[in-house]
Amino acid sequence: MKRKIDPVSERLMPEFEKTLDAFGYELVQMKLGGRPGNRTLTVSIDKAGGVTADDCRYAASRLSVLLDALDPIEGHYTLVVSSPGVNRPLTRDTDFERFSGQKAALRWSAPEQGPRTVRGILLGVEQDKVRLDVDGTEVLVPLADIETANIVYDWERDNEQ
């Protein structure tokens, strides 16, 4: 996957993954935004069975200790820890296998066609291409071309249960 990641997040990611894993959480995504001196570091976490507000508070307290020790962000910043939500981002190549069978949206840039977005059912990965069932037709999207991807929550299916 094409990942646009800022240098601070790139430096913090291995430490955050190790710390969160030690407490039973998975790092889904992290982004640093805002202007220098007033930044926001947004961290999305997950765990089996889902993430609660208490999980977010606990993970934030653990990550705050790490941030105090590493001091990677100049000036004032705010740490926000949240769940990935129902439209969970797919941030790792392995996510496309892990969430096989679920509806997803993928945005990618094909050199000859420009940016495209497609929605369908994930069928996994084969030869570095994501397989997606789009209305009965299999679409192959090279992992290297994917810019963003996320689960698309099926509200209709949930309301039927």
Side-chain angles (χ1 to χ4, degrees), residues 15-30:
E15 296 295 331
F16 275 33
E17 285 177 328
K18 193 174 5 175
T19 299
L20 290 167
D21 186 57
F23 294 103
Y25 302 108
E26 171 194 1
L27 175 63
V28 175
Q29 190 173 47
M30 62 188 299

Side-chain angles (χ1 to χ4, degrees), residues 64-72:
S64 289
V65 170
L66 183 60
L67 285 166
D68 288 345
L70 297 174
D71 196 23

Side-chain angles (χ1 to χ4, degrees), residues 27-48:
L27 175 63
V28 175
Q29 190 173 47
M30 62 188 299
K31 294 179 183 177
L32 182 64
R35 294 185 307 255
N38 191 21
R39 312 289 308 254
T40 300
L41 180 61
T42 305
V43 178
S44 178
I45 63 171
D46 206 358
K47 72 172 188 181

Side-chain angles (χ1 to χ4, degrees), residues 102-124:
Q102 294 194 37
K103 193 174 192 179
L106 280 65
R107 179 174 171 79
W108 79 96
S109 287
E112 62 283 349
Q113 298 173 327
R116 294 187 59 198
T117 300
V118 67
R119 290 175 182 237
I121 305 298
L122 286 175
L123 300 174

Side-chain angles (χ1 to χ4, degrees), residues 10-154:
E10 188 171 20
R11 188 172 128 218
L12 289 174
M13 194 169 286
E15 296 295 331
F16 275 33
E17 285 177 328
K18 193 174 5 175
T19 299
L20 290 167
D21 186 57
F23 294 103
Y25 302 108
E26 171 194 1
L27 175 63
V28 175
Q29 190 173 47
M30 62 188 299
K31 294 179 183 177
L32 182 64
R35 294 185 307 255
N38 191 21
R39 312 289 308 254
T40 300
L41 180 61
T42 305
V43 178
S44 178
I45 63 171
D46 206 358
K47 72 172 188 181
V51 175
T52 66
D54 286 338
D55 290 319
C56 293
R57 279 190 290 277
Y58 183 75
S61 70
R62 301 292 93 208
L63 294 176
S64 289
V65 170
L66 183 60
L67 285 166
D68 288 345
L70 297 174
D71 196 23
I73 304 169
E74 290 187 31
H76 175 76
Y77 66 91
T78 302
L79 172 64
V80 176
V81 178
S82 66
S83 78
V86 294
N87 292 330
R88 183 193 201 280
L90 303 171
T91 57
R92 293 177 175 76
D93 294 352
T94 55
D95 287 347
F96 297 100
E97 284 289 343
R98 179 177 167 193
F99 293 99
S100 185
Q102 294 194 37
K103 193 174 192 179
L106 280 65
R107 179 174 171 79
W108 79 96
S109 287
E112 62 283 349
Q113 298 173 327
R116 294 187 59 198
T117 300
V118 67
R119 290 175 182 237
I121 305 298
L122 286 175
L123 300 174
V125 177
E126 190 174 291
Q127 297 177 351
D128 293 327
K129 293 181 181 168
V130 174
R131 297 174 51 233
L132 200 65
D133 178 336
V134 179
D135 299 325
T137 301
E138 186 171 323
V139 175
L140 299 173
V141 180
L143 280 165
D145 293 345
I146 297 173
E147 295 172 354
T148 62
N150 62 279
I151 297 296
V152 175
Y153 187 75
D154 190 346

